[in-house]
Amino acid sequence: MSFDEQVVPGTSMDVLNPSLWGRFRTVISPRDDREFLSKLKLIAVDDEGAVRATVGGVLMASDDPRAFLSSAFIQAVRYRWKDRSAAHQIDALDIAGPLDIQIREACKFVERNMRVYAVKAPNRIETPQYSMNAVFEAVTNAVAHRDYSIFGAKIRLHVFSDRLELYSPGTIPNTMTVDSLSERQSSRNELTSSLLARCPMNYNAVGSRREFIMDRRGEGVPIIITESEELSGRRPEYRLLDDAELKLTIFAAPSPHPEEDG
């Protein structure tokens, strides 16, 4: 049993919002709510016979997962220059809510905090610092595959003048390595991934042809690498920190006006 299928102590079926879990219902779903939630693994019976919400249920169908999983949010920070300094912090947001909402709001945070360069050559050409399609894939992967069992470890999204850094708690699942991320596929949170694969796209990621948030064909990392490198000329870098956290660095597209860079 994966961690996101385990029950969350102290919860009940009532902590799940019907408007959130109802979106997964289809014409062939059981009509009885408890039967439906159980079949979807959003609830389960614990060892004492009590009905509890599962981790996946809390993450996808509760209004604020932090009420039960305190680290289930994204810490987003924009720094003015290239260094991580509180004195240079110009925007910050703790992004909470169901996971699909976290993904959307994290992308919006990057979009409003990145620069879009304009050059007349002879027609106006606009170049964003980042491919928002790549950013969407990166955030989705972080949210879907992070280790929610690590207490006190949140996803960190830090935007600098020359790069974006995304930290995802947990080591790489199974026998995958940093070098094989673009070639292999593995999921730590099967329930969460399957639910995200049923959530319609809720963000206009330019260049994406997705109908649903999660694509389970393993195309995310290749998109991150290819589209980011096309913009910046530098390949994104994955690093595993202390076998406990996966760090992704996406480099910003260089400015056509170097004197503006910090």
Side-chain angles (χ1 to χ4, degrees):
M1 177 187 295
S2 61
F3 180 74
D4 60 346
E5 294 180 11
Q6 297 180 25
V7 298
V8 179
T11 62
S12 69
M13 177 174 155
D14 293 337
V15 306
L16 305 182
N17 186 333
S19 67
L20 293 174
W21 55 255
R23 56 192 169 153
F24 301 114
R25 207 164 213 156
T26 68
V27 293
I28 62 173
S29 298
R31 298 184 65 180
D32 179 77
D33 290 345
R34 177 170 171 176
E35 182 184 358
F36 168 68
L37 292 172
S38 180
K39 184 174 182 179
L40 211 58
K41 298 182 180 180
L42 297 181
I43 61 171
V45 177
D46 67 12
D47 293 338
E48 298 178 354
V51 176
R52 308 290 187 192
T54 62
V55 171
V58 165
L59 292 174
M60 293 298 300
S62 69
D63 293 318
D64 189 352
R66 293 177 301 177
F68 313 100
L69 301 166
S70 61
S71 301
F73 70 98
I74 301 173
Q75 177 200 72
V77 182
R78 169 65 161 102
Y79 296 96
R80 185 179 301 277
W81 308 121
K82 299 178 182 180
D83 59 318
R84 185 179 286 102
S85 168
H88 296 158
Q89 182 176 308
I90 58 177
D91 194 5
L93 181 66
D94 285 348
I95 302 171
L99 296 190
D100 56 311
I101 301 302
Q102 291 189 31
I103 293 169
R104 182 189 70 194
E105 295 306 310
C107 289
K108 287 183 177 180
F109 182 89
V110 173
E111 191 170 27
R112 74 169 179 263
N113 278 294
M114 73 174 180
R115 303 180 69 176
V116 178
Y117 303 118
V119 178
K120 294 181 179 179
N123 298 320
R124 181 183 175 90
I125 300 175
E126 293 188 343
T127 302
Q129 282 188 304
Y130 305 102
S131 158
M132 288 311 302
N133 190 23
V135 171
F136 172 81
E137 296 290 349
V139 174
T140 298
N141 280 351
V143 165
H145 301 308
R146 64 152 290 183
D147 190 341
Y148 287 97
S149 70
I150 303 176
F151 181 78
K154 56 191 170 288
I155 292 173
R156 294 179 291 149
L157 172 62
H158 294 175
V159 182
F160 301 87
S161 62
D162 65 336
R163 70 195 186 281
L164 175 158
E165 294 179 352
L166 186 62
Y167 298 82
S168 179
T171 188
I172 302 173
N174 298 327
T175 59
M176 294 176 66
T177 66
V178 168
D179 294 332
S180 68
L181 282 173
S182 62
E183 304 294 334
R184 298 183 59 195
Q185 186 178 7
S186 182
S187 177
R188 172 182 282 113
N189 304 304
E190 284 291 343
L191 173 58
T192 302
S193 295
S194 68
L195 293 173
L196 286 171
R198 297 172 65 174
C199 286
M201 280 289 288
N202 61 3
Y203 174 76
N204 182 24
V206 177
S208 176
R209 297 181 180 178
R210 289 284 178 83
E211 182 180 357
F212 299 97
I213 289 177
M214 193 83 185
D215 183 305
R216 309 195 72 185
R217 295 176 295 184
E219 297 177 349
V221 174
I223 288 173
I224 294 167
I225 293 173
T226 301
E227 295 199 9
S228 298
E229 190 169 13
E230 285 178 355
L231 266 181
S232 69
R234 297 183 65 181
R235 185 181 178 89
E237 295 178 354
Y238 283 96
R239 288 181 56 202
L240 188 58
L241 307 178
D242 298 328
D243 204 31
E245 189 174 44
L246 183 64
K247 175 186 177 183
L248 167 63
T249 302
I250 299 178
F251 299 99
S255 170
H257 314 291
E259 67 277 3
E260 296 180 2
D261 285 342

